[in-house]
Structures are given as structure tokens and as C-alpha cells.
Amino acid sequence: MIGVGFHSVAAPSGTGVTDLTIEQLLLPSPTPPPPLLPMVDDQNDSWWQGRPVWEAQSRNIGATFWAAASPTAFRFHVVVHADKQTNSYHERNLWRGDCIYISLDARGDDPPGKPQPLEPDDAVFIFGLGVQGPECRVSHGNPVEQKADSARFLKSILRNEDDKTTTYEIVIPYSAVGTAVGQTPTAGLAVCIAHKNDEEKDLTWGRITGDARTPRELHVFALPAPAHPFISTAPFRTRLVQDTDTAMVTIAFRTEGEAVIEASLGGRKLTKTFRGDGSVQRFAIRVHGAAVRPGADSLDLTLSATATPGVTAHYALSTPAVVMSRLQARIEKLLAGAPNALVRDNLQATLALVQESYRCLPLEKPDHPERAGEFIDNAELILRKLPFETVDWQDHIRKCIPLAFTFISDVDRTLQYYSLQMPFDYQEGRTYPLTIYLHGMGDDNPLGGLTSTFDNSSEDTLFRTVDIDPSNIPPSHRGFVLAPWARGNSMYRGAGESDVWQSIARVKQRFQIDPDRVYLTGFSMGCSGVMGLAGRHPDVFAGLNLASGFGPWSETSQIDLINHLRNMPMAVWVGELDPMAGAATAFHEQLGRQGISHRFEIAKQLPHTYPYLEYQKNVGYLMTFRRKAEGVTPVSR
């Protein structure tokens, strides 16, 4: 980690705690000195014409890799030589096709060969020419970046069929990996060329990480600092899980005159004056976690030096209590100007669920200390997605941004919730169909589940941000879409099943739902839930969609339930590369033996996933049917 400080100034503290310190840092230089990463101008687009830092060739794949630093970013230029460029995937499945990985330790502080949790300066980037065009994914590292728009990291990916090359032009700003120019003397890199032609093994240079605690083998480079006077600052750690944690922000100077560092936090102020000697001098401002609280959670810096423009910076420090306070203040502000009761209920539900999670942290700490960090990450994600001033109701009915609603469980009096997507251009008093979506197995943290209502970019199926053509509204957006949380990984049994029925009842009470057009859909674990709920209550639904949830563990294997679903429209779907494809085929054959009509599809080249467009296709099929007392009939046209 960052080296030991040798000179510090402490702010006075009435509690005896050294709340705020400024320490000069000595960062050790590797021996022998590592190769120098060249410094190039931000505007220079031909810097890579020099000698590459790595070249490799296997039987039918070759790679040439250039790397450089600019005043604002890491820059990479990669040329892959391969007869074919094939990637039929996108978003979180991008890694399954031809692509490249770049693993980056931006501050160069990972001890070689020792397991370390990824810091905000560590990340693994995946770049590929996927089915939807050039794309970047941040697969590990800073959770903020994993949820962010990563398109800014990718300048271009170009395929040239004449010379059989794929060229990647990549720019990763220092700000995305918790550093800035001059902050550190070294950085670590690893590369994987994941072009899988003819079952050829990937080409690797160093080793990327596939898990937060897997050791990485990185190539260390010396990072040049600008030769002219400069000041830079960057966050090293601003997320404090425990009171004993310490926040840290780092500063770098090159100056030959007087320089001043001024830091303040919640009324405490600290000033350090020093004289530069023309070399790069680095400092750390540390804040003890006990000093960070609501109202004292912004570290404000003013930096000045001879012959260089001054710098001001503001860093929000996060603890569970601080984030809870920020989110509550934001929601209370939005509630004051909420345009209608639905928005108010959504905001109040969000606040109640976050407060419930916050109150549970002390009880969870002995067995689940990681929950505090999860709380910060999830609550901050919700904060980023909430508007600052007012909620635009049109976003919910024209962009189909979902709402969250809470209820008290009839089973055990606990606070539970569901997400609800409004119909496109919703009109009060109009009757709509209802599609229920049962999610697959995943995060068992209720707050983690709630974040998908605000940002579902890590999923494939629901709540996608799409440009809706009013003349061609996607099927699920023609009505309500209900997504019950159902206790997370409950398999939709017991209390989880009860929550589903209670959610359905509440939606029917509040909105005008066509009782003959209620459709039940589910993916993976949710597919099993569809069979269980519909098999035990076949009189409720007008159609079923079962996707990618088959095998002995699933209720789709229960023949008695299958027999209850005669005359029920069914769309059975699975990806060709899904390990459950064989079990899905067996389920399809079982339906055939029992004379049960259904639609069956194995989607080409798809793994265990359920893309939005595939889901819309199946919901569209179901919506051609309605349920009447005498059975299911086609919708009249």
C-alpha cells in the first residue's frame, strides 16, 4: 500500500482522537527500476507508432500492445491479428466472445503475489466488438465504475478484414481509477487477448483477476510526472465501513517555491506550508473514521504553489450513517415537490427500505461485516439515480422507469416490497394487462435487490432503458409489469410465494387490471416459480413464459403440476449455450407426451441469460391470449 508518512500535522481534537492529519509520503521505488511508460500529449493520436511494450504470437492469433500515460489518462493501443473476429454477445456477457481484458493497478501499490482486495484504483476492463457494436465493461474494481457509462473509455474498435486485424483504441481517465497525474511513481498492467478461434487458448501477458481476492501478476511500469510545475489530488479511500477506518486523499506537487495545503472538515481546519525543491513531493490527508459524521462529511481542500494555478477539491466521505443521512435529506426534499401520490409512495417506500437495512447493520455485523460496505454501495447508487430537485412523472410513464412499493407481509409482519413498471403513457382509469416477472437467483440483500429498480444495467431482461416508439410499443410496456422481491432467493415458496400473491393483490386493488389478461413469466429460479405458482393456481393466469430454469431442482420437473396446465398458453425458452438446455428440451418433450400445446425455442448462441428483446417476443406471444371462465381464448383483433 502507500508508503509511510514521515512528517505530519494534526488537527486538535476534543476527544483525544487525531481527526485530521497531513503527512508527507515517501513512496518506495522498485529495484531494479521498472521500464518507463512513455508520457504523451492528450491530443497525440499517433503516439503508438513507436516500439510496443508487448508482442505475442500463437498458432493463429497474434497481438501487439502499446501503452502510454498522458497528463489525464492511461492510453492503450492494441492490434489483434486473427482470421476471424466473432462476438455474438453484449453487455455483461461480452467476455464470452472475442475481446480483450486490461487489468490495471493505477497506483502500482499491489504487493506481487499476495491476495489483496481490489482498491478503487484497481479494475479489470473488457473491450469487445459485440453484437451491438464496440463496447466496454468494467468487470471488477470500483463499484461506481461498474455501474457507470463506460463508453468514455473506448475511442474505437475497428475490424479490417483485408489484413485480418482488430484494432482497439482505449483511453482510461485517471479519475476513473482513483488517481491523478504525478500521484504515484508506478502502475501495474496485465493483458489478456481472448480471441477464441479454433479453440485456441487466449494470449496473456501477466494475469488479470477473476475474483476480488485473487492475486494478480502485473507488469510494473514507472509512471512519468510532468517536468513543469503542477498540483494534483485524488481520492485514495473515501468509503469508511468501520469507525476505525481512515479516509485518505493524496496530493502531488512539483514546485520550487512556497506551497500551501489547506484542509477542512466539519469546522476543523488544518494548514501546512512547505517549500518545494523542484522534485515531485507527495502528501496524504488522513481523516479518522470517528470524525466523519453527518454534517462533517466533506473534505475540502485548497492547494496553491508558486508558478502553477491553484486547485480546490471537495471529497464526500461515506460511512453508513453519512449515506443514510444524505439519502434521507434528498428524499425528504423530493417528497415536498412530489407530483402525485404514486411518486410519494415510491419515495417513501425507498426511504423505508433503506432505513430498515441501516437499522439492521449492527445486528448483522458479527456474522456479516460486509453488509456495511454493501449498504454504502447500494445506498449511494440509489442516491446517484434520484433526481436532485424534482421527480419528473413523465420519466415513469414515457421512459417506463419503475417504481418501488412496500407492504407489511401477512406471513410475519415484516417490511417487504415489489417493483412496478407503469404502462407506457399511463392513463388513470384505463384498464391494462398485467405481466408478472419472477427474477432469478442472485443477491440475497434486499437493498441490493432494490437497486435494480433504479439501475438494472447489470441484468438483461427487465427495466431496460429503451427508446419507445409510441406507434410500436414493446409488449410488456403495453401494461403493468410487476416484479416481486419475494425474499430474494426463496425459490418462490413459503413466505416468498405469499409475498407474490400479496403483491399481485395490491396492484389489482390500486389499478384497473384486466383479470383476463394476467401473465406470469420467470427466468432461472423464476422459471421454477412460474411452474409452482401457476401449477397450484391455474385459474389465475392467461399465459406462462418459462425461461432457463429446468432440471430436477425446478418445479418444472413436477408432473402433477404440469397436468394442471392443460389449455394454458406457454412459451418455453432457453439459450443454446445454457447448461440447462438439455433439461429444457426434456421438459418440452414431456409436455408433448402429455399432449400439452406450447411454443418452444432454443435461442442460438445464447448462454444462461434472457435478453430484453427475447423476453418481449415471448410476452408478445402471451398477450395474444386472454382467460375467460370457459378457458383461455385468443385476444380478439
Side-chain angles (χ1 to χ4, degrees):
M1 308 306 287
I2 281 188
V4 178
F6 65 84
H7 181 73
S8 68
V9 178
S13 170
T15 62
V17 175
T18 303
D19 293 339
L20 184 62
T21 63
I22 300 176
E23 303 176 3
Q24 190 169 7
L25 293 175
L26 286 178
L27 301 184
S29 298
T31 304
L36 183 69
L37 205 62
M39 173 67 77
V40 301
D41 292 335
D42 283 314
Q43 293 74 32
N44 185 345
D45 288 329
S46 60
W47 61 269
W48 50 269
Q49 293 178 0
R51 183 178 178 180
V53 299
W54 173 59
E55 288 184 280
Q57 180 70 48
S58 66
R59 182 168 57 86
N60 63 349
I61 303 174
T64 310
F65 178 79
W66 289 264
S70 80
T72 63
F74 292 101
R75 303 187 64 179
F76 304 102
H77 186 91
V78 189
V79 179
V80 177
H81 304 263
D83 289 341
K84 297 179 181 179
Q85 155 69 44
T86 304
N87 195 323
S88 302
Y89 306 96
H90 67 101
E91 295 186 340
R92 66 193 183 102
N93 288 299
L94 187 69
W95 63 273
R96 294 178 181 273
D98 291 349
C99 62
I100 66 171
Y101 299 69
I102 294 178
S103 188
L104 181 60
D105 170 24
R107 288 181 178 261
D109 54 10
D110 284 0
K114 295 182 180 179
Q116 293 289 324
L118 292 176
E119 296 282 358
D121 67 300
D122 304 324
V124 179
F125 301 86
I126 301 175
F127 301 91
L129 192 59
V131 70
Q132 294 187 354
E135 191 175 349
C136 168
R137 299 289 288 176
V138 185
S139 65
H140 296 84
N142 191 335
V144 173
E145 292 300 335
Q146 290 183 50
K147 291 285 187 178
D149 176 12
S150 56
R152 68 189 189 281
F153 302 148
L154 180 58
K155 290 190 67 176
S156 65
I157 303 178
L158 299 175
R159 175 65 183 176
N160 187 326
E161 290 296 346
D162 292 335
D163 59 11
K164 304 300 181 184
T165 61
T166 306
T167 301
Y168 300 77
E169 192 74 32
I170 297 161
V171 177
I172 299 176
Y174 297 135
S175 59
V177 282
T179 191
V181 67
Q183 289 283 307
T184 178
T186 59
L189 286 173
V191 182
C192 174
I193 309 299
H195 278 239
K196 307 177 188 304
N197 303 337
D198 300 331
E199 299 182 357
E200 182 82 7
K201 291 185 177 180
D202 299 340
L203 291 178
T204 59
W205 186 56
R207 178 178 164 197
I208 65 166
T209 184
D211 180 82
R213 292 189 176 274
T214 299
R216 298 185 297 169
E217 298 170 3
L218 302 176
H219 296 274
V220 177
F221 286 88
L223 275 183
H228 56 75
F230 73 91
I231 306 172
S232 72
T233 179
F236 181 80
R237 183 180 298 108
T238 58
R239 172 182 175 272
L240 307 178
V241 176
Q242 307 294 340
D243 286 345
T244 55
D245 290 346
T246 300
M248 187 165 76
V249 170
T250 55
I251 303 166
F253 285 88
R254 190 195 291 277
T255 181
E256 292 187 354
E258 184 177 87
V260 179
I261 301 172
E262 296 180 349
S264 64
L265 175 79
R268 293 178 174 84
K269 293 185 178 180
L270 190 62
T271 301
K272 176 177 178 58
T273 302
F274 67 97
R275 189 164 191 85
D277 59 6
S279 65
V280 176
Q281 294 173 279
R282 300 181 177 95
F283 298 83
I285 299 178
R286 303 181 193 269
V287 182
H288 194 278
V292 180
R293 58 187 182 278
D297 54 3
S298 177
L299 179 61
D300 302 317
L301 306 181
T302 302
L303 314 172
S304 60
T306 303
T308 186
V311 171
T312 60
H314 310 277
Y315 294 101
L317 308 182
S318 297
T319 69
V322 163
V323 176
M324 183 70 254
S325 176
R326 288 176 189 155
L327 190 141
Q328 180 165 335
R330 177 81 60 82
I331 289 180
E332 288 175 349
K333 179 180 179 180
L334 294 172
L335 280 169
N340 58 41
L342 291 172
V343 168
R344 285 194 296 274
D345 288 353
N346 170 57
L347 292 170
Q348 289 168 343
T350 300
L351 180 57
L353 290 163
V354 177
Q355 287 173 328
E356 178 81 358
S357 181
Y358 176 69
R359 285 191 290 264
C360 289
L361 290 179
L363 299 175
E364 292 185 304
K365 184 176 180 179
D367 298 320
H368 296 283
E370 74 280 0
R371 290 295 197 204
E374 292 175 5
F375 175 86
I376 293 173
D377 295 339
N378 291 326
E380 286 190 332
L381 185 151
I382 293 171
L383 259 175
R384 290 194 301 275
K385 294 298 180 178
L386 284 171
F388 283 95
E389 300 296 334
T390 59
V391 175
D392 186 349
W393 175 238
Q394 293 300 312
D395 282 349
H396 291 284
I397 64 172
R398 299 291 291 181
K399 298 180 181 178
C400 296
I401 295 175
L403 302 163
F405 296 106
T406 49
F407 61 93
I408 300 299
S409 167
D410 290 338
V411 173
D412 53 13
R413 305 293 298 167
T414 57
L415 184 69
Q416 301 298 329
Y417 75 95
Y418 58 90
S419 299
L420 186 70
Q421 191 173 60
M422 305 297 289
F424 177 78
D425 206 15
Y426 169 73
Q427 301 295 320
E428 188 174 358
R430 182 178 170 185
T431 299
Y432 292 93
L434 171 65
T435 302
I436 299 135
Y437 176 82
L438 304 183
H439 62 77
M441 188 168 288
D443 191 348
D444 64 351
N445 184 338
L447 202 58
L450 178 65
T451 59
S452 66
T453 304
F454 292 86
D455 184 344
N456 204 35
S457 60
S458 62
E459 303 297 335
D460 293 332
T461 308
L462 272 194
F463 308 152
R464 308 298 284 163
T465 301
V466 293
D467 293 325
I468 295 176
D469 179 358
S471 65
N472 186 26
I473 302 170
S476 75
H477 298 285
R478 298 171 195 165
F480 291 92
V481 180
L482 166 63
W485 166 242
R487 314 295 172 106
N489 298 330
S490 69
M491 296 294 296
Y492 301 98
R493 297 170 185 162
E497 178 176 357
S498 176
D499 288 353
V500 173
W501 293 116
Q502 197 169 346
S503 300
I504 294 172
R506 290 178 70 87
V507 172
K508 288 183 174 180
Q509 288 167 4
R510 186 158 196 175
F511 304 99
Q512 290 187 232
I513 302 298
D514 186 342
D516 297 323
R517 300 191 69 196
V518 178
Y519 308 98
L520 184 61
T521 70
F523 168 67
S524 195
M525 179 185 73
C527 172
S528 173
V530 167
M531 178 56 69
L533 270 67
R536 288 186 283 273
H537 302 273
D539 56 328
V540 175
F541 305 106
L544 309 178
N545 172 214
L546 301 102
S548 301
F550 306 97
W553 61 273
S554 170
E555 297 213 63
T556 58
S557 64
Q558 302 299 313
I559 294 178
D560 58 329
L561 294 178
I562 295 174
N563 284 327
H564 294 167
L565 299 178
R566 295 184 180 278
N567 303 317
M568 175 75 73
M570 277 191 274
V572 180
W573 185 96
V574 72
E576 182 182 31
L577 305 181
D578 193 319
M580 285 184 273
T585 302
F587 176 73
H588 153 67
E589 293 170 348
Q590 179 68 34
L591 292 176
R593 286 193 295 270
Q594 294 181 230
I596 298 176
S597 178
H598 63 285
R599 189 166 83 166
F600 178 57
E601 181 181 2
I602 299 178
K604 297 294 186 183
Q605 291 296 306
L606 283 179
H608 187 66
T609 184
Y610 199 11
Y612 172 83
L613 293 178
E614 295 291 312
Y615 180 67
Q616 294 301 326
K617 180 175 62 179
N618 285 319
V619 171
Y621 167 72
L622 297 183
M623 283 191 172
T624 63
F625 298 92
R626 65 186 307 118
R627 186 163 190 84
K628 291 292 186 182
E630 64 273 15
V632 176
T633 60
V635 173
S636 58
R637 296 187 180 277

